[in-house]
């Protein structure tokens, strides 16, 4: 079977269901690889390394053939990535989609109209016309993938996934760079090979990893080497990449999709006006529910949404009795390796 | 009065206002526009800190004329950061925020405000209004302030496009905001008061446009400090008589200077465009430009009028359209086009871009802004500077770069 064309994307809020329904394969351009550091010639060096490393890949042509790139207007850095992409690869087709910051009805309506605009654009890029049945089929396909990733995450948290949390991250990366059906098959295989006996904690300390971008499986190997058992994650390159999209009968499918995307576990760029500081409460709740003994926050440098919320997260975790270790990184293992001693000390403190 | 610390600030603004009023009365040369503008800032400061008014801390793009019409003294929080920097007392507040865990890589306007709030120097507002643009960092700041003050926050999400769909979405949110403000203040919006506010806004807009038209003259009547922070702060006075009076004073003063120059032409000077924020603390850069390099900043990006007069019969939609006309939304092409228009219409020789550390939205695309202006022959000097935090200000380094830049544009002008 002929492989579908790829559509590049960079933000976890990208509506993968629509890309797949239009008969493209979503391809997340992850900030990994060895592309030379050149993004500063287009954007300022004070932009987040996630965005700069993706632009480095574009400048180095370290990408597969893409039919187009979908950018989300999710934060200043992502908007600038859209702009920088135009300079780096002016012939690429690209679209910048608005993403409301909250999930009220007006926001859902507006975002649904943005999804409609995306659907038209995908058609212009050679995609299939979008209809309710195609979108429902795609949502089901991603729903299955989401369920499998959840299962794999549970196994990894109990020490039963062969390869541990590094393997889990490989699977997360696969789920956004390969067709969802293929990723599901690989996941089914990995899950079926899981030993029936629980690995237990093996002396490791249960930790919630929270933050934004950390796609390199080696990062998780490092955590495990330091004595961490990742029992839950809240990262935009891991569990936050997928959320189930339910399309209830009687509701416009784009509305339903918009609602599900806006209501998924939040990135720090979202604001719940009814609950200022909601992100911090979410982190504490997830730590409690997952049985974590502490929280490691990994935030890429210059990420305003996360850096601005870290004091609130620290306050909330302190008041709920969870220890917190904050690591700033630049999406490279080099930066994370520098924190090895701190991670080891943090784990030691929690034993 | 809300507390001893804020009382000190009220006294400061009272003294400032009294001093400025006296200077305006004594001015014999008719040059009072900047002081009149500063006087209104002092009055606003007093209202914000006195505890006598309903107060809202807001995002930069909130519809202040609407809030003024509802009897709410409102202000974008970055204004406080700028005031603190210009007062010379910002370093301790930045440190306060940093000790509380706010990163030095973030925007120092925002850190200064958080530091002030933590020290009890920010008055407790009645409510907050966040705007999703121009920057995501600003939303985080307002969320943190809402948490700190335990006050309700309303969010206005600005879409990137000024088309029908985007304007309708934002207009509906503005209408909801009016309900929210009424619920917080117990005050209903009086349609007549709104109509009058819109008339004031439109009158001020027309006068500002006249002042800017005069500013485009060669030689320009504008000196580098005349319009510092003007457009962005004037937004706070829109919908009031004060906005009309300030705009008229500027228009008249520029007209007077143009007339003087017609009779007694001054020697030619370099004409500069300032991109985004001015440096808010005391620094010698502008003096250097004026005195040593015969150069004036005659226009600021943030002063541009990008919006049409408001429609009193459709206020929410026209307010939405104004908010969405700001070139900081959406793709950078829009902003670059606006900068090109400014540079051409003011016939500038060069542009200065103080790349405010911590500003992703403004500074982030500096390479693209530079390339865009280069297309029309306008060189850009990108300075590595923090517009609020004076602690790392490197005068010598900046002086060298400024000197080289001015030399370069002077030479290309001679050629």
């Amino acid at each position: 079977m002929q492989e579908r064309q790829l559509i590049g994307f960079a933000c976890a809020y990208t509506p993968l269901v629509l890309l797949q329904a239009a008969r493209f394969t979503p391809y997340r351009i992850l900030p990994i690889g060895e592309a030379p550091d050149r993004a500063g010639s287009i954007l300022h060096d004070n932009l987040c390394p996630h965005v700069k490393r993706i632009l480095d890949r574009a400048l180095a042509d370290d990408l597969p053939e893409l039919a187009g790139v979908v950018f989300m207007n999710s934060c200043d850095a992502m908007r600038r990535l859209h702009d920088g992409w135009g300079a780096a690869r002016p012939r690429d087709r690209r679209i910048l989609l608005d993403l409301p910051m909250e999930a009220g009805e007006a926001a859902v309506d507006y975002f649904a109209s943005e999804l409609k605009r995306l659907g038209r654009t995908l058609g212009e890029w050679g995609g299939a016309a979008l209809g309710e049945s195609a979108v429902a089929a795609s949502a089901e396909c991603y729903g299955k993938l989401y369920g499998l990733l959840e299962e794999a995450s549970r196994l990894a948290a109990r020490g039963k996934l062969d390869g541990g949390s590094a393997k889990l991250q490989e699977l997360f990366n696969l789920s956004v760079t390969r067709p969802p059906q293929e990723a599901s098959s690989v996941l089914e295989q990995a899950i079926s090979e899981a030993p029936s006996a629980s690995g237990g904690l093996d002396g490791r300390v249960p930790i919630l990893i929270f933050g934004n971008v950390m796609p390199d499986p080696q990062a998780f190997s490092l955590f495990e080497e330091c004595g961490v058992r990742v029992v839950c994650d809240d990262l935009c390159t891991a569990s936050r990449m997928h959320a189930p999209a339910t399309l209830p009968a009687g509701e416009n499918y784009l509305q339903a999709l918009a609602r599900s995307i806006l209501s998924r576990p939040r990135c720090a760029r979202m604001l719940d006006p009814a609950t200022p500081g909601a992100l911090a409460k979410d982190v504490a709740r997830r730590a409690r529910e997952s049985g974590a003994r502490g929280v490691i926050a990994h935030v890429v440098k210059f990420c305003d949404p996360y850096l601005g919320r870290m004091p609130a997260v620290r306050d909330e975790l302190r008041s709920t009795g969870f220890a917190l270790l904050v690591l700033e990184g630049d999406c490279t293992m080099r930066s994370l390796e520098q924190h090895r001693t701190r991670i080891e000390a943090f784990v030691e403190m929690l034993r | 009065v809300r507390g001893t610390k804020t009382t000190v600030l009220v006294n400061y603004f009272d003294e400032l206002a009294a001093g400025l009023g006296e200077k305006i009365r004594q001015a014999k040369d008719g040059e009072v526009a900047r002081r009149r503008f500063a006087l209104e800032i002092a009055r606003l400061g007093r209202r914000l800190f006195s505890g006598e008014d309903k107060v809202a801390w807001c995002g930069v793009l909130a519809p202040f004329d609407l809030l003024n019409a509802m009897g709410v003294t409102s202000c974008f929080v970055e204004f406080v950061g700028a005031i603190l920097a210009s007062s010379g007392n910002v370093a301790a507040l930045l440190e306060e925020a940093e000790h509380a865990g706010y990163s030095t890589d973030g925007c120092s306007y925002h850190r200064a405000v958080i530091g002030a709030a933590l020290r009890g120097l920010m008055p407790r507002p009645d409510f907050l209004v966040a705007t999703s643009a121009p920057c995501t960092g600003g939303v985080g700041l307002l969320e943190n302030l809402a948490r700190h003050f335990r006050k309700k926050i309303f969010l206005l999400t600005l879409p990137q496009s000024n088309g029908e769909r985007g304007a309708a979405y934002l207009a509906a949110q503005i209408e909801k905001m009016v309900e929210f403000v009424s619920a917080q203040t117990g005050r209903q919006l009086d349609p007549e008061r709104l109509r009058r506010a819109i008339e004031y806004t439109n009158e001020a807009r027309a006068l500002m446009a006249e002042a800017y038209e005069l500013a485009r003259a060669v030689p320009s009547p504008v000196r580098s400090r005349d319009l510092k922070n003007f457009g962005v702060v004037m937004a706070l006075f829109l919908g009031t008589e004060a906005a009309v009076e300030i705009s008229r004073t500027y228009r008249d003063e520029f007209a007077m200077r143009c007339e003087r120059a017609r009779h007694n032409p001054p020697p030619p000077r370099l004409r500069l465009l300032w991109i985004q924020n001015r440096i808010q603390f005391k620094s010698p850069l502008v003096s250097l430009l004026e005195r040593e390099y015969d150069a004036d900043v005659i226009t600021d990006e943030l002063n541009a009028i990008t919006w049409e007069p408001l429609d009193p019969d459709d206020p929410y939609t026209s307010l939405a359209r104004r908010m969405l006309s700001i070139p900081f939304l959406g793709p950078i092409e829009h902003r670059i086009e606006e900068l090109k228009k400014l540079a051409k219409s003011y016939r500038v020789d060069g542009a200065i871009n103080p790349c405010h550390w911590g500003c992703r939205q403004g500074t982030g695309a500096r390479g693209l802004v530079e390339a865009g202006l280069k297309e029309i022959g306008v060189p850009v000097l990108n300075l590595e500077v923090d517009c609020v935090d004076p602690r790392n200000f490197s005068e010598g380094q900046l002086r060298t770069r400024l000197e080289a830049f001015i030399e370069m544009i002077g030479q290309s002008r001679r050629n």
Side-chain angles (χ1 to χ4, degrees):
Chain A
M1 197 172 86
Q2 195 185 357
E3 286 229 345
R4 295 177 173 197
Q5 285 186 290
L6 303 178
I7 296 282
F9 72 99
C11 173
Y13 278 95
T14 309
L16 307 189
V17 167
L18 282 194
L19 305 188
Q20 150 85 5
R23 301 209 185 132
F24 291 108
T25 293
Y27 176 83
R28 181 158 182 174
I29 307 161
L30 293 164
I32 51 179
E34 299 300 323
D37 180 5
R38 287 162 57 200
S41 63
I42 296 176
L43 304 175
H44 193 281
D45 282 333
N46 74 4
L47 278 183
C48 86
H50 177 210
V51 155
K52 283 188 295 186
R53 282 176 65 79
I54 290 174
L55 193 59
D56 285 337
R57 287 189 63 183
L59 286 164
D61 210 15
D62 175 27
L63 294 167
E65 183 76 23
L66 299 173
V69 189
V70 176
F71 296 93
M72 303 304 289
N73 195 2
S74 48
C75 61
D76 298 331
M78 278 292 167
R79 193 161 64 251
R80 296 287 85 95
L81 176 61
H82 166 269
D83 299 331
W85 200 275
R89 292 167 64 106
R91 281 182 292 183
D92 278 6
R93 294 183 285 206
R94 66 200 158 105
I95 182 172
L96 179 66
L97 278 194
D98 270 330
L99 180 71
M101 285 187 162
E102 41 97 26
E105 281 310 302
V108 167
D109 289 348
Y110 181 73
F111 190 45
S113 71
E114 281 292 90
L115 295 182
K116 191 173 179 183
R117 182 165 72 90
L118 174 62
R120 281 198 304 272
T121 303
L122 292 173
E124 288 161 16
W125 292 355
L130 289 179
E132 187 163 359
S133 58
V135 173
S138 177
E140 195 180 329
C141 181
Y142 271 101
K144 180 182 174 190
L145 178 61
Y146 173 77
L148 289 166
L149 285 164
E150 272 207 317
E151 177 58 21
S153 299
R154 274 194 294 271
L155 290 171
R158 283 183 284 160
K160 288 176 67 177
L161 186 72
D162 193 20
S165 53
K167 175 67 180 176
L168 179 64
Q169 188 56 44
E170 275 179 28
L171 295 169
F172 273 121
N173 291 353
L174 189 78
S175 75
V176 286
T177 50
R178 297 297 303 158
Q181 300 87 342
E182 180 186 324
S184 290
S185 300
V186 175
L187 271 155
E188 281 168 339
Q189 179 73 21
I191 290 167
S192 71
E193 288 168 359
S196 54
S198 169
L201 283 171
D202 295 332
R204 294 199 170 99
V205 176
I207 295 287
L208 162 69
I209 306 277
F210 144 81
N212 40 28
V213 183
M214 197 166 57
D216 194 332
Q218 283 185 58
F220 293 87
S221 299
L222 170 65
F223 286 128
E224 289 183 347
E225 286 164 25
C226 295
V228 167
R229 163 68 52 76
V230 180
V231 290
C232 184
D233 87 81
D234 188 349
L235 297 165
C236 85
T237 44
S239 67
R240 281 212 315 273
M241 285 198 289
H242 298 287
T246 47
L247 309 181
E251 186 179 12
N252 176 286
Y253 65 97
L254 290 178
Q255 299 274 127
L257 188 59
R259 181 174 291 104
S260 74
I261 291 171
L262 293 177
S263 308
R264 68 203 308 178
R266 76 187 81 228
C267 163
R269 55 86 62 189
M270 297 295 276
L271 170 65
D272 177 359
T275 319
L279 178 84
K281 291 184 194 308
D282 284 353
V283 174
R285 179 182 50 76
R286 296 191 76 172
R288 198 168 47 246
E289 288 173 0
S290 63
R293 228 180 283 163
V295 176
I296 295 179
H298 178 266
V299 181
V300 292
K301 274 177 80 68
F302 307 121
C303 173
D304 286 330
Y306 275 89
L307 292 176
R309 268 77 173 193
M310 286 315 297
V313 171
R314 181 179 286 122
D315 290 350
E316 186 68 28
L317 290 175
R318 190 177 290 150
S319 70
T320 48
F322 288 101
L324 171 69
L325 174 67
V326 181
L327 309 174
E328 264 190 43
D330 63 3
C331 299
T332 64
M333 280 308 296
R334 197 172 52 251
S335 70
L336 202 56
E337 279 286 355
Q338 289 172 351
H339 295 301
R340 180 184 281 271
T341 313
R342 291 181 63 214
I343 301 166
E344 285 170 344
F346 181 70
V347 169
E348 206 52 49
M349 181 189 80
L350 292 174
R351 280 192 203 279
Chain B
V1 176
R2 302 181 180 205
T4 314
K5 289 175 182 169
T6 48
T7 309
V8 172
L9 287 164
V10 171
N11 293 340
Y12 164 76
F13 284 120
D14 280 345
E15 283 169 24
L16 181 63
L20 285 164
E22 190 54 33
K23 281 183 180 161
I24 291 169
R25 272 189 294 280
Q26 288 177 1
K28 294 195 173 89
D29 54 3
E31 303 253 339
V32 295
R34 185 72 195 175
R35 285 176 184 146
R36 179 64 191 82
F37 178 53
L39 175 62
E40 206 52 39
I41 291 173
R43 287 174 176 164
L44 172 67
R46 189 195 197 289
R47 290 199 304 277
L48 286 168
F49 286 83
S50 69
E52 293 159 11
D53 285 19
K54 297 285 183 194
V55 166
W57 292 123
C58 300
V60 174
L61 297 179
F64 295 105
D65 22 21
L66 179 56
L67 291 163
N68 282 329
M70 296 187 80
V72 177
T73 296
S74 50
C75 183
F76 57 89
V77 279
E78 288 83 353
F79 169 84
V80 177
I83 293 276
L84 292 168
S86 67
S87 73
N89 297 313
V90 77
L93 302 174
L94 293 169
E95 282 165 18
E96 180 84 32
E98 288 151 16
H99 289 154
Y102 289 90
S103 169
T104 51
D105 288 329
C107 173
S108 50
Y109 282 94
H110 298 161
R111 251 180 303 137
V113 171
I114 281 289
L118 293 173
R119 284 215 175 172
L121 290 168
M122 286 280 284
R124 186 178 166 86
D126 293 281
F127 61 89
L128 302 98
V129 177
T131 55
S132 67
C135 64
T136 32
V139 178
L141 169 64
L142 282 156
E143 182 181 11
N144 285 327
L145 289 176
R147 201 174 64 91
H148 175 80
F149 289 118
R150 297 177 189 277
K151 285 291 179 182
K152 293 206 165 158
I153 184 168
F154 188 90
L155 170 66
L156 289 169
T157 300
L158 279 71
Q160 60 177 305
S161 137
N162 196 10
E164 285 303 319
R165 197 166 52 93
Y169 171 44
L170 183 54
Q173 293 178 70
I174 294 170
E175 199 167 353
K176 286 270 181 213
M177 187 197 83
V178 170
E179 290 171 19
F180 169 83
V181 174
S182 293
Q184 303 310 309
T185 61
R187 295 173 184 166
Q188 298 300 311
L189 175 62
D190 174 358
E192 267 316 300
R193 211 168 156 190
L194 176 59
R195 184 170 281 273
R196 199 160 63 246
I198 287 177
E199 283 167 9
Y200 284 141
T201 292
N202 287 342
E203 198 178 345
R205 182 196 176 281
L207 288 163
M208 280 192 282
E210 283 181 46
Y212 292 156
E213 190 53 45
L214 289 162
R216 291 186 182 99
V218 180
S220 174
V222 178
R223 295 166 199 147
S224 296
R225 285 182 185 80
D226 286 335
L227 294 171
K228 177 183 175 183
N229 296 337
F230 180 69
V232 68
V233 174
M234 274 298 282
L236 299 173
F237 307 135
L238 289 179
T240 71
E241 205 169 355
V244 177
E245 196 193 323
I246 295 165
S247 306
R248 182 177 290 119
T249 312
Y250 267 101
R251 192 268 318 263
D252 293 348
E253 192 162 309
F254 288 169
M256 182 181 71
R257 288 184 194 169
C258 283
E259 190 59 22
R260 277 188 204 147
R262 204 166 60 82
H263 293 297
N264 187 15
R269 294 171 67 83
L270 292 176
R271 300 159 68 90
L272 299 176
L273 158 67
W274 194 278
I275 295 174
Q276 207 169 335
N277 296 309
R278 291 288 189 105
I279 295 170
Q280 304 296 346
F281 53 86
K282 287 181 181 61
S283 86
L285 282 191
V286 168
S287 300
L288 278 175
L289 285 171
E290 287 184 331
R291 291 186 199 149
E292 294 190 24
Y293 306 126
D294 295 329
D296 293 306
V297 177
I298 60 164
T299 181
D300 286 58
E301 179 186 20
L302 298 185
N303 290 349
I305 299 174
T306 53
W307 45 284
E308 296 299 315
L310 301 182
D311 178 358
D313 295 321
D314 192 4
Y316 299 143
T317 306
S318 57
L319 284 167
R321 287 199 185 287
R322 183 181 70 196
M323 291 163 77
L324 297 178
S325 74
I326 306 299
F328 291 98
L329 312 178
I332 197 70
E333 287 86 351
H334 183 197
R335 183 178 175 207
I336 292 172
E337 282 314 306
E338 289 295 329
L339 279 167
K340 282 181 178 173
K341 267 195 242 169
L342 263 188
K344 280 181 190 165
S345 69
Y346 280 84
R347 286 175 273 183
V348 300
D349 300 296
I352 296 181
N353 188 5
C355 301
H356 175 54
W357 184 255
C359 180
R360 323 297 169 207
Q361 67 83 14
T363 296
R366 71 170 184 184
L368 300 172
V369 167
E370 185 180 356
L373 285 174
K374 196 176 171 188
E375 283 170 15
I376 58 165
V378 174
V380 177
L381 173 64
N382 289 315
L383 296 176
E384 296 299 340
V385 70
D386 189 307
C387 292
V388 166
D389 186 352
R391 292 173 296 179
N392 294 320
F393 185 71
S394 169
E395 184 185 330
Q397 201 177 56
L398 292 182
R399 180 190 275 261
T400 308
R401 296 208 54 215
L402 204 59
E403 202 167 338
F405 180 70
I406 295 292
E407 209 169 282
M408 187 261 292
I409 57 176
Q411 196 165 14
S412 59
R413 201 181 189 194
R414 284 191 292 276
N415 293 342

